[in-house]
Amino acid sequence: MKALMFGWEFPPHILGGLGTASYGLTKGMSECGNMDITFVIPKPWGDEDKSFAHIVGACNTPIAWRDVSWEQIRDRLGRYMDPQEYFNLRDHIYADFNYMHLNDLGCIEFSGRYPDNLLEEINNYSIVAGVIARTYPCDVIHSHDWLTYPAGIHAKQVTGKPLVIHVHATDFDRSRGNVNPTVYAIEKDGMNQADHIITVSNLTRKTVIEKYNIDPAKVTTVHNAVEPLSEEIKAINIPRNTKEKVVTFLGRITMQKGPEYFVEAAAQVLRKNNNVRFVMAGSGDMMNKMIRLAAQRNISDHFHFTGFLKGKQVYEMLKASDVYVMPSVSEPFGISPLEAMQVGVPSIISKQSGCAEILTNAIKTDYWDVDAMADAIYSIITYPAMYQQLKIEGKKEVDEIKWVYAGQKVIDIYNKVIYR
């Protein structure tokens, strides 16, 4: 079965959970066998894992004809694609896009990030999708998150193949209800045009049905999973300070993630036990506000801000931690607690997170219940039996949450829309 996937991020260059989930699911699907996946991203960097999916860069796809030689393409694009692929794509240009701002290869430049002109990049991505969909034969189209829905819709119009969209989050999650009407319109159009919708949790499924008026029969939950630890990650050994405990928040410092509740819980714990260090790992628009809040609570000498961590750094931070806390206000799924539990770190998660639907050996509190959160942190760092129970049983549980199982569920959905 051939699947044409549109994504926005792909490891090792990721800015959030979307890239991690896209990678894990794609790899899990390939392990199920009989899958040929072409994965499109706006801008590849050349060091992506291509062992289980063919990576295509929108930024390397010509949408206007240019008279270039094989040698020129080899020198410019050789680390991203076979030069012949460029010419195959060039053969499928379907309109005159010379009015657009293009480079000397007839391609649109993409940032590969979330720039100020994001809506323009989303539109450009959908234009490029027309060339890609004409070039790579497929049985089904799969669009990851709202940024790629217009590309998926265009690919469906070109090929006539069924479209599956994957809702990793909605704007209701990102904005605490203060929804951007333009984003909502893109999301709603994607949902209306899709043949089937995959959500990462029942929480998100409920939002899709109730807030976007989608037929429940059209929406299926496929919970995320976690990648097995590599030998490199297993080998990380962080010396521990036996006198001080470390409690960590790891994620974007934005209102969706509830960072202020973590700071308030930290202040409560430090009133009872001064031998604790709290770490807020990540970056985001609320970072300066959190630095000020820690100062106002007079806990700055026990509170650390690391900035954005990626790859190996994430696991180094987790392995240095005694407790992991995810106090998200609205978290469609939340892979980071699974990653923490994988390395034996007891986790506290909000009841408002999708992963709370599948995790048994994690402590669950309401995001706003700072007292309960502080009590949970204090209990884990104070009572060794509780710490050991959560550490051992948590790891055991998460080791059985595998992407290959999620991948098979997605393939079953593909079969349903292809052969209905």
Side-chain angles (χ1 to χ4, degrees):
M1 185 190 299
K2 294 180 189 295
L4 176 59
M5 277 196 192
F6 292 95
W8 202 262
E9 297 181 13
F10 202 81
H13 302 274
I14 58 172
L15 296 162
L18 176 61
T20 304
S22 298
Y23 175 90
L25 180 67
T26 309
K27 191 175 180 187
M29 290 172 68
S30 75
E31 288 168 8
C32 292
N34 195 32
M35 282 304 304
D36 181 353
I37 301 169
T38 298
F39 199 101
V40 186
I41 48 176
K43 182 178 179 177
W45 301 87
D47 54 355
E48 293 82 8
D49 183 351
K50 304 177 184 71
S51 62
F52 54 87
H54 179 62
I55 305 291
V56 176
C59 66
N60 302 324
T61 298
I63 61 165
W65 200 89
R66 295 289 184 269
D67 187 11
V68 290
S69 68
W70 195 92
E71 288 74 21
Q72 280 176 281
I73 300 303
R74 180 197 60 199
D75 294 344
R76 284 279 294 280
L77 303 181
R79 66 182 292 221
Y80 310 109
M81 59 164 57
D82 184 303
Q84 186 55 51
E85 196 171 357
Y86 170 89
F87 294 107
N88 292 345
L89 286 159
R90 194 182 67 174
D91 287 344
H92 290 91
I93 293 168
Y94 59 93
D96 184 2
F97 290 107
N98 280 302
Y99 66 90
M100 297 187 71
H101 183 68
L102 307 175
N103 64 18
D104 58 338
L105 301 182
C107 304
I108 303 175
E109 303 281 356
F110 287 87
S111 67
R113 303 178 75 82
Y114 298 89
D116 291 339
N117 67 329
L118 183 58
L119 291 173
E120 182 187 350
E121 289 215 345
I122 290 168
N123 183 60
N124 289 346
Y125 193 50
S126 72
I127 290 170
V128 175
V131 173
I132 290 170
R134 287 167 168 83
T135 307
Y136 301 94
C138 68
D139 301 300
V140 63
I141 298 149
H142 189 150
S143 282
H144 289 278
D145 231 32
W146 71 281
L147 307 138
T148 75
Y149 296 168
I153 291 167
H154 189 183
K156 176 183 178 176
Q157 290 167 344
V158 166
T159 62
K161 302 297 182 181
L163 170 64
V164 173
I165 68 163
H166 209 125
V167 184
H168 295 266
T170 70
D171 209 45
F172 286 90
D173 302 301
R174 291 182 291 266
S175 67
R176 279 200 197 173
N178 186 24
V179 175
N180 180 322
T182 305
V183 175
Y184 179 88
I186 293 171
E187 290 176 329
K188 178 83 169 102
D189 192 37
M191 293 174 194
N192 288 343
Q193 299 286 339
D195 294 271
H196 206 82
I197 299 166
I198 298 171
T199 56
V200 294
S201 63
N202 292 323
L203 191 75
T204 307
R205 182 175 184 270
K206 188 169 184 277
T207 302
V208 166
I209 293 165
E210 293 178 0
K211 303 288 189 184
Y212 296 83
N213 291 318
I214 302 299
D215 177 2
K218 191 177 171 178
V219 193
T220 303
T221 295
V222 178
H223 289 104
N224 285 336
V226 67
E227 268 288 289
L229 294 176
S230 67
E231 292 306 314
E232 182 190 19
I233 300 300
K234 287 179 186 174
I236 295 171
N237 186 24
I238 305 294
R240 305 291 285 275
N241 180 340
T242 52
K243 290 182 182 175
E244 288 190 314
K245 301 296 184 182
V246 176
V247 181
T248 299
F249 167 109
L250 196 152
R252 291 195 317 279
I253 307 175
T254 62
M255 64 179 177
Q256 181 192 347
K257 304 295 181 180
E260 67 270 38
Y261 303 105
F262 180 72
V263 178
E264 297 291 4
Q268 284 200 28
V269 173
L270 286 165
R271 283 189 213 117
K272 292 183 181 179
N273 184 341
N274 210 33
N275 291 323
V276 193
R277 296 211 166 265
F278 288 84
V279 178
M280 188 164 276
S283 59
D285 57 0
M286 285 181 70
M287 186 167 177
N288 289 335
K289 190 177 176 183
M290 292 305 100
I291 293 169
R292 288 195 298 273
L293 182 59
Q296 287 162 11
R297 297 291 175 264
N298 203 25
I299 60 171
S300 295
D301 55 341
H302 286 269
F303 212 100
H304 307 270
F305 294 87
T306 67
F308 182 73
L309 302 181
K310 64 179 183 179
K312 191 178 173 185
Q313 294 173 318
V314 169
Y315 286 97
E316 287 171 344
M317 186 65 250
L318 291 174
K319 286 198 173 191
S321 305
D322 296 281
V323 184
Y324 177 77
V325 184
M326 186 182 76
S328 297
V329 174
S330 179
E331 187 69 54
F333 186 78
I335 290 175
S336 55
L338 278 68
E339 293 171 335
M341 292 163 72
Q342 229 181 355
V343 294
V345 182
S347 294
I348 300 166
I349 59 178
S350 75
K351 291 177 182 175
Q352 290 72 27
S353 62
C355 63
E357 297 169 8
I358 62 167
L359 291 176
T360 306
N361 293 286
I363 294 181
K364 302 165 193 176
T365 68
D366 288 304
Y367 71 87
W368 44 261
D369 195 342
V370 173
D371 294 342
M373 202 183 300
D375 285 346
I377 294 168
Y378 182 80
S379 298
I380 294 169
I381 63 175
T382 305
Y383 304 114
M386 183 178 186
Y387 171 84
Q388 286 297 329
Q389 168 80 7
L390 289 168
K391 175 179 179 169
I392 293 163
E393 295 304 318
K395 176 167 173 46
K396 212 182 283 183
E397 178 179 24
V398 167
D399 284 346
E400 289 305 310
I401 301 173
K402 299 177 180 177
W403 278 115
V404 68
Y405 302 148
Q408 187 56 58
K409 288 176 184 174
V410 171
I411 292 168
D412 292 344
I413 289 166
Y414 283 0
N415 281 318
K416 189 173 158 186
V417 297
I418 293 168
Y419 300 112
R420 66 181 178 181

